[in-house]
Amino acid sequence: MLKSQLIAQSLKLLAACLLLISFAMLSRRRTQRLVILFAWQGAILFLSTCLVAYDAGLTELWYSAALTLVLKVIALPWILHRLIQRLGAQWDTEPIVNIPITMLAGLALVIFAFGLAQPISMLATTITRNTLGIALAVILLSFLMMITRRKAVTQVIGFLAMENGLFFAATSATYGMPMVIELGIALDLLVGVFILGIFFFQIREQFDSLDLHHLEALRED
Amino acid sequence: MNAHLYISGITSSAIAVPALRLLLIVVAFWIVLGLAGLVRPCSLRVVAHLLFPLGAAGCLSVALVAGVFLAANRMSEVMILPLGLPSLPFHLRLDTLSAFFLLLLGIAGTGISTFAAGYFRSGVGTAPALLCLQYHVFLASMAIVILADDAYLFMVAWETMALSSYFLVTSQHRIPEIRRAGFLYLLMAHLGAICILLCFGVMQGGSWQFTFDAMRGASLTPFWASAAFLLALVGFGAKAGLVPMHAWLPEAHPAAPSPVSAMMSGIMLKTAVYGMLRISFDLLHVRFWQWGALMLAMGLFSALYGAIFAAVQTDMKRLLAYSSIENIGIIFTGIGLALLFETCHLPLFAALALSAALIHSLNHSLFKSLLFLATGSVLHATNQRSLGKLGGLIRRMPWVATLALVGTLAIAGLPPLNGFVSEWLLLQSFLFTPQLPHAFLNMLVPLGAAALALIVALSAYVMVKFYGVIFLGQPREASLGHAHDANWLERLGLGWLAFGCIAIGIQPQIVLRAAGAVTGRVLGGAAVSLRSSIWTIVPIAPGQASYSGLILLLGIVGVVGITFVLVRFLAHGRMRRTDPWDCGYPWQTPRMQDTAEGLGQPIRHMFGAFFRMERELPSPSDVNPRYRIHIEDRLWRALYLPMARGVQRLADMAGLLQGGRLAIYLLYSFLTLIVLLVFVL
C-alpha cells in the first residue's frame, strides 16, 4: 500500500517536472538549450514509464520505456544537436509573440487542460490518472511553441515535445498504447526527423536562412 | 392469363438454372474481353473483328437470359458475392424489374456492339484497345447497377459507369471543346451521385444497414421519405437529363463517338430510370401523390423543352441529344402518372401508366440508338455534323437511309412502329385521370395529356427536319458526292435495331407481357395489367380502346399494294419516263432548299420565350449575305452560370485562409483542437 502511494506521489512529481520543462521550453530562445530540455523531457518520460511498468507489472511497458530511453533521450537529441551545429542555427530570432505573453497564454492553456481532464480522470482506473491534465497541457504548450516560433528547427522540437505529451497521456490514461502502435510512432518520429533534417538543408540552400517567413513566397496566387 | 403465368412461374423456379449466375458470367466475360484487348493495344483488327463481336454475343445472351426470366415470371434470385470490403459483401438480386432493364440493355447493346465492331477505324485519339476496355467496363458496370442489391455495390457500379463513360466521351481528348464537354458531364454525374448517396443515407433510416432489403424494411417519417424521394429525383434526374439538370446532355453526346452516344442515350439514361423506379416503387415503403404530381410536371416540362430545343438545332447529334431529353421527359411523365394512380389506389391504371413508361424506355433505347448510330455512319462518310452541310444522302447511302427512316418513323410515333405503342398507352392512361380523387388534380392533369399530344407532334416535326435535311433533297456540299454507305457490320447493327422497332410495333403483346411481369410485382401482385391477344392489345376494356399493330400493318400493306396495282395496271397501263413538273423553275440549286434553320424558324417564332437568341440579319443590299443565328439555353444563364459564379466566390473566400504563413496554418489546427476540446467538455 505504502509502496503504491509512494509510486503515485513520485509520478505526480515527475508530471510536475514535465510541465515545468514545457514552460521552460516556451521561455528559452537558444536552440541548443531547447534540445537539452527536450532530452530531459525524454528522461522524465522514461522514469515515469518505468514506474508505471513496475507498478502494473507489464512487460510491454518496460519495452516502451527502453524505447523512450534510446530514442528520446539519446538518439533524437543527438541528431538535433548535430543538425544545429551543422546548420549554425544556435539562436532563434525574435518570436512572433513576445515571451511573457506566450507564458500567460500557456497558463491559460494549462487551466483549460486541467478543466478538460477532470471528468476524464474520474473515469480512469490507473494510478496515474491524475496526471492526464498535465499530459494534455504539455501537448497544448508544445503546440503553442510551434505557433510562436519562426525557425524551422524550433518547430521540429515543438513537434517532438508534443509527441512526448501524447505518449505521457497514453501512459497516464491507460497503460500505454499497444506495442505495435508505439513502435510505429517511434519509427515515424525517427524518419520524420531525418526527412525534416534534409528539408532544413534544402530550405537553407534556397533562401540562405532557416527563417520560415521566406516560405510565404511559395504561395500560389 | 398473366395470373396463370405468375403461378406457373413459382413452380418452375424450383428446377430452373439460376439466371443470376449466367448474367454474372457474362459480366465477367465482358471485363475479360476489355482486358484482352490490352495484349495488343494498337491492333485494330483484334478489337474490331474479335472483341466487339464477342461483346455483342454477350449482350445477346444477357437479353436472352433476361427475356426467359421475364417470360417465365420467375421468383427473384439473390446472391452474395464475397468481394468488396471485409464486412461489406456485395449483394446481388435479379427480379422482374431488373430483368426488364437487362433485357433493354441486352437488346440495344447487341446492336450497338455489332455496329461498333465496324465503326472504330483508324484510331484517332484513344487507342482501340483502351476504347474496347472502357466500352466493356461501361457495359459491365451498367449491368451491375441494375443487379445491385445494396447501396454500396450500387454506388461503386454507378461511379464506375460514370467514369468509364467519361473516358469514352473524351476519347478525342485533344480537342478542347470535347474536354470541356467531358468535364461538364463528369461534374453533373458527380453532383447526381452525391444526391443518390445522400438518398441512400436517408433511406437506411437509422439502422445503418445499406442492403436494399434493410431499406425496404426501414420505416421513415413522411418528411424523410419525401427527402429521400427528392434527392433521388435530383440525383437520377441529373443522370437522365431531366430539365433543369440536362445541361450536360447536348454537350456530351456530340462530343462522344457515335456508338458511345448511342450507348449513353439508349442504355445509360435508362439506368437512371431504373434507379428512380427501384427507389420510388420498391425501396420506399410510403408514397405520396405530391411526388407523382411533381414528377409528372417535371417530366412534361422536360419533354416539351427537349422537343422545342431539338427543333431549332443545326447539329445532328445535338438535335438527337435534345430529343433524348424529350423522351426521358415522356418516360418520367409515365412514372409520375403511375405514382399518382398508385397513391390514389387505382392499381390497374397505375400498371397501365407504368407499362407505358417501361415500354417507352425500351423503345427509346432502340430507336435512339439506331439514329445515333446512323449519324455515326453519316459522320464517317462525310465528316460533317452540321445539318447545313448535308443533304441528299439517300442516294449515296441507301442502306443507312432506309434503316434510319425506320428509326425516324418510330421516334415520331407513327404506327405500326414501336414509338406509337408506348405513346398511345401513355395517352390512354392520361384518359383515366378524371377518376383521381383530388379535386384540382383531376382537372389539371388532363391538360398534361394535351401537352403530351403537343410534344409528340413536335417530335414528329423534329424528325421530319432531321431526316429531310440529312437524307433528302440535293447535296449541299460538293464533297458529299464521295460519301460511301456503311459497311456490313454497321448495317447489321442498324438492321438489328430497326428490326426491334418493327417487331415491337407489330407485336407489342410481347413487351406488354414483359412489362406486366414487372408491374405485377412492383404494384403488389394483384394489379395484373393488360388483357391482350395475338391480334390486339386492350389496355382496360375492349369497349374503350384497343390497338392492333398487325392488323394495321396488313391494312397499310393492303392499301399500298392495291393502289400500286391499280395505278400500275389500270390507270397507266404503261410507263412513261419524263422530268417531273418543275413548278416553272427551270433549275434548282442546293441553296434553294429549305435549311435546318428554316425548318426551325416557326418553332423559334412560336416558342421564343424559351430561347436566348443572337441574330445577324444581312441587309437586302448585301452582295455576300451571311445569315447567322446563335441559340442558347436560357437556363444556362439563369441557373448554371450564377451557380458557377457562386462557387467561384466561395472558393475565393476559402482562398483567403491560405495566407502562406506557417504559424497561421498551425494556429488553424490549434484553434480547431481547442474548439473540439471545448465541444467535448
Side-chain angles (χ1 to χ4, degrees):
Chain A
M1 198 62 217
L2 188 71
K3 190 183 73 178
S4 149
Q5 266 187 358
L6 193 66
I7 289 174
Q9 290 299 329
S10 8
L11 270 176
K12 279 184 187 165
L13 180 69
L14 289 174
C17 290
L18 208 62
L19 189 61
L20 202 63
I21 290 174
S22 287
F23 268 103
M25 281 174 124
L26 268 186
S27 66
R28 287 288 158 175
R29 281 176 52 200
R30 272 195 69 166
T31 35
Q32 295 285 19
R33 284 278 167 207
L34 280 176
V35 174
I36 291 168
L37 282 173
F38 172 69
W40 272 110
Q41 217 178 26
I44 287 171
L45 217 53
F46 164 67
L47 278 179
S48 66
T49 315
C50 283
L51 278 177
V52 174
Y54 174 68
D55 182 69
L58 291 169
T59 28
E60 272 192 0
L61 274 179
W62 285 110
Y63 292 132
S64 81
L67 202 67
T68 312
L69 183 67
V70 172
L71 198 67
K72 288 175 185 161
V73 186
I74 301 165
L76 285 178
W78 186 73
I79 294 172
L80 284 171
H81 180 74
R82 290 291 308 276
L83 203 65
I84 289 163
Q85 276 191 336
R86 297 264 309 268
L87 288 166
Q90 267 84 354
W91 284 89
D92 199 343
T93 43
E94 190 63 26
I96 295 169
V97 185
N98 68 21
I99 284 171
I101 290 184
T102 318
M103 302 288 270
L104 283 177
L107 219 58
L109 280 180
V110 171
I111 293 167
F112 174 70
F114 272 62
L116 195 69
Q118 197 121 49
I120 306 171
S121 359
M122 295 291 180
L123 296 174
T125 51
T126 55
I127 56 159
T128 49
R129 59 186 185 163
N130 296 325
T131 50
L132 185 66
I134 292 181
L136 265 177
V138 171
I139 297 171
L140 293 177
L141 287 176
S142 314
F143 212 142
L144 189 65
M145 189 175 107
M146 283 177 79
I147 293 173
T148 53
R149 299 305 173 92
R150 283 179 200 266
K151 286 271 181 170
V153 182
T154 1
Q155 292 201 329
V156 170
I157 295 171
F159 173 70
L160 291 173
M162 194 156 80
E163 203 280 328
N164 277 347
L166 274 176
F167 185 83
F168 194 64
T171 38
S172 58
T174 64
Y175 286 122
M177 291 173 268
M179 203 60 202
V180 186
I181 297 177
E182 227 160 86
L183 279 174
I185 291 175
L187 192 71
D188 275 357
L189 277 184
L190 207 59
V191 171
V193 168
F194 272 117
I195 292 175
L196 287 168
I198 295 165
F199 266 137
F200 291 157
F201 283 103
Q202 289 294 330
I203 291 173
R204 199 181 56 160
E205 208 156 287
Q206 284 292 321
F207 300 111
D208 287 327
S209 153
L210 271 180
D211 210 333
L212 285 176
H213 76 258
H214 294 293
L215 293 181
E216 286 171 32
L218 296 177
R219 176 177 173 241
E220 187 186 7
D221 280 315
Chain B
M1 184 170 166
N2 257 325
H4 168 69
L5 272 175
Y6 187 72
I7 293 160
S8 70
I10 292 169
T11 49
S12 70
S13 68
I15 49 165
V17 191
L20 187 51
R21 194 154 299 171
L22 290 175
L23 291 170
L24 279 181
I25 290 171
V26 175
V27 168
F29 174 65
W30 276 332
I31 291 172
V32 169
L33 276 186
L35 293 172
L38 295 179
V39 178
R40 295 188 58 196
C42 292
S43 162
L44 194 62
R45 186 177 294 178
V46 172
V47 170
H49 291 161
L50 186 67
L51 299 182
F52 272 110
L54 281 175
C59 289
L60 193 60
S61 40
V62 165
L64 283 176
V65 171
V68 167
F69 184 90
L70 276 173
N73 204 348
R74 288 202 198 148
M75 296 302 286
S76 43
E77 295 172 16
V78 290
M79 194 191 249
I80 297 175
L81 279 188
L83 296 171
L85 293 178
S87 58
L88 284 170
F90 288 151
H91 296 74
L92 293 163
R93 179 186 159 103
L94 177 70
D95 58 7
T96 47
L97 180 60
S98 39
F100 187 87
F101 279 87
L102 282 172
L103 178 71
L104 179 157
L105 182 143
I107 294 177
T110 306
I112 298 169
S113 289
T114 314
F115 181 91
Y119 182 82
F120 288 117
R121 289 170 211 167
S122 64
V124 186
T126 309
L130 283 181
L131 271 179
C132 172
L133 173 65
Q134 287 147 6
Y135 182 92
H136 286 109
V137 167
F138 187 33
L139 261 179
S141 59
M142 285 194 290
I144 295 293
V145 161
I146 295 171
L147 285 173
D149 196 33
D150 62 294
Y152 173 52
L153 177 59
F154 187 92
M155 287 315 294
V156 169
W158 187 262
E159 291 290 280
T160 312
M161 184 176 89
L163 272 181
S164 52
S165 55
Y166 165 75
F167 287 121
L168 285 171
V169 166
T170 54
S171 63
Q172 293 188 342
H173 50 83
R174 299 201 195 288
I175 304 170
E177 287 88 55
I178 287 183
R179 286 204 300 273
R180 183 178 166 274
F183 174 74
L184 183 65
Y185 168 53
L186 198 62
L187 185 70
M188 292 303 287
H190 276 287
L191 287 180
I194 289 171
C195 288
I196 297 169
L197 194 65
L198 290 176
C199 164
F200 284 134
V202 171
M203 279 202 302
Q204 49 84 18
S207 66
W208 299 106
Q209 292 287 311
F210 286 93
T211 59
F212 284 173
D213 259 339
M215 289 181 188
R216 280 182 199 105
S219 62
L220 299 172
T221 59
F223 173 78
W224 284 113
S226 298
F229 175 80
L230 287 177
L231 282 168
L233 188 61
V234 173
F236 289 116
K239 190 57 126 189
L242 212 57
V243 177
M245 287 85 76
H246 67 290
W248 64 271
L249 251 145
E251 302 297 325
H253 280 308
S258 289
V260 177
S261 309
M263 189 106 109
M264 286 170 70
S265 186
I267 308 174
M268 190 187 74
L269 302 189
K270 307 308 177 316
T271 60
V273 173
Y274 163 79
M276 203 64 227
L277 285 175
R278 174 65 73 196
I279 283 181
S280 51
F281 280 100
D282 187 14
L283 299 188
L284 284 171
H285 59 102
V286 285
R287 283 173 276 280
F288 302 101
W289 66 267
Q290 290 92 338
W291 299 359
L294 177 69
M295 210 148 153
L296 181 66
M298 279 182 80
L300 279 173
F301 186 70
S302 297
L304 188 63
Y305 200 87
I308 290 169
F309 269 85
V312 298
Q313 295 307 313
T314 54
D315 176 319
M316 57 180 176
K317 289 182 86 177
R318 275 179 91 92
L319 182 145
L320 290 181
Y322 275 112
S323 162
S324 286
I325 296 176
E326 173 223 318
N327 281 285
I328 284 293
I330 291 178
I331 294 167
F332 273 77
T333 306
I335 301 174
L337 206 56
L339 265 176
L340 261 183
F341 283 132
E342 212 264 352
T343 48
C344 298
H345 308 292
L346 298 165
L348 204 59
F349 303 150
L352 181 61
L354 195 58
S355 300
L358 286 170
I359 295 173
H360 198 71
S361 302
L362 179 59
N363 291 343
H364 180 243
S365 76
L366 288 172
F367 49 61
K368 189 50 65 64
S369 308
L370 174 57
L371 291 182
F372 263 122
L373 296 180
T375 61
S377 289
V378 170
L379 201 59
H380 258 236
T382 64
N383 283 325
Q384 286 296 344
R385 246 175 40 202
S386 165
L387 289 172
K389 293 180 176 167
L390 293 165
L393 287 176
I394 195 167
R395 278 179 289 276
R396 292 273 153 207
M397 312 175 71
W399 274 94
V400 176
T402 314
L403 294 171
L405 182 63
V406 176
T408 38
L409 290 179
I411 202 170
L414 291 183
L417 293 168
N418 60 352
F420 176 78
V421 176
S422 44
E423 283 166 6
W424 181 75
L425 283 173
L426 190 58
L427 276 170
Q428 285 297 321
S429 52
F430 260 112
L431 293 182
F432 297 106
T433 45
Q435 300 197 18
L436 287 173
H438 300 284
F440 280 105
L441 217 54
N442 59 15
M443 287 182 261
L444 282 173
V445 175
L447 289 180
L452 188 68
L454 172 66
I455 290 156
V456 172
L458 275 174
S459 76
Y461 182 87
V462 169
M463 282 306 132
V464 168
K465 168 178 166 171
F466 174 81
Y467 195 80
V469 174
I470 296 178
F471 292 106
L472 305 182
Q474 297 179 16
R476 289 181 175 78
E477 296 274 313
S479 62
L480 297 185
H482 306 297
H484 53 84
D485 208 350
N487 60 28
W488 68 274
L489 276 168
E490 291 179 311
R491 285 180 207 166
L492 196 63
L494 292 172
W496 166 262
L497 294 168
F499 169 75
C501 289
I502 298 170
I504 293 178
I506 293 172
Q507 281 293 315
Q509 295 85 347
I510 305 166
V511 284
L512 262 177
R513 202 196 288 172
V518 180
T519 55
R521 291 288 164 81
V522 167
L523 300 169
V528 175
S529 60
L530 307 145
R531 278 167 291 161
S532 50
S533 67
I534 298 174
W535 289 98
T536 52
I537 52 172
V538 183
I540 297 299
Q544 249 165 343
S546 59
Y547 165 70
S548 164
L550 202 54
I551 293 175
L552 201 65
L553 179 75
L554 291 179
I556 291 172
V557 169
V559 167
V560 169
I562 289 169
T563 314
F564 182 77
V565 168
L566 287 180
V567 168
R568 182 77 195 264
F569 295 106
L570 294 182
H572 286 183
R574 59 196 164 84
M575 248 191 344
R576 180 171 61 99
R577 280 193 183 276
T578 178
D579 288 333
W581 183 49
D582 55 16
C583 305
Y585 295 104
W587 44 262
Q588 272 197 309
T589 67
R591 281 179 65 87
M592 292 161 84
Q593 304 174 86
D594 209 348
T595 59
E597 286 91 350
L599 276 165
Q601 197 271 343
I603 305 292
R604 227 160 50 219
H605 200 73
M606 281 184 268
F607 298 96
F610 282 81
F611 311 114
R612 196 181 160 281
M613 284 189 277
E614 286 171 19
R615 265 196 292 197
E616 279 177 25
L617 290 173
S619 73
S621 56
D622 202 337
V623 187
N624 289 314
R626 266 189 60 81
Y627 173 76
R628 199 185 68 86
I629 182 157
H630 181 69
I631 291 168
E632 230 180 72
D633 206 329
R634 255 185 205 286
L635 281 174
W636 183 254
R637 272 172 194 268
L639 196 66
Y640 284 85
L641 289 186
M643 265 205 277
R645 274 198 296 272
V647 169
Q648 181 71 41
R649 209 170 300 140
L650 274 179
D652 286 344
M653 273 156 69
L656 290 180
L657 287 176
Q658 191 200 14
R661 291 185 65 168
L662 213 55
I664 302 287
Y665 294 168
L666 283 172
L667 198 64
Y668 290 149
S669 17
F670 187 65
L671 288 179
T672 312
L673 183 67
I674 296 282
V675 166
L676 287 179
L677 285 174
V678 169
F679 189 68
V680 171
L681 197 66

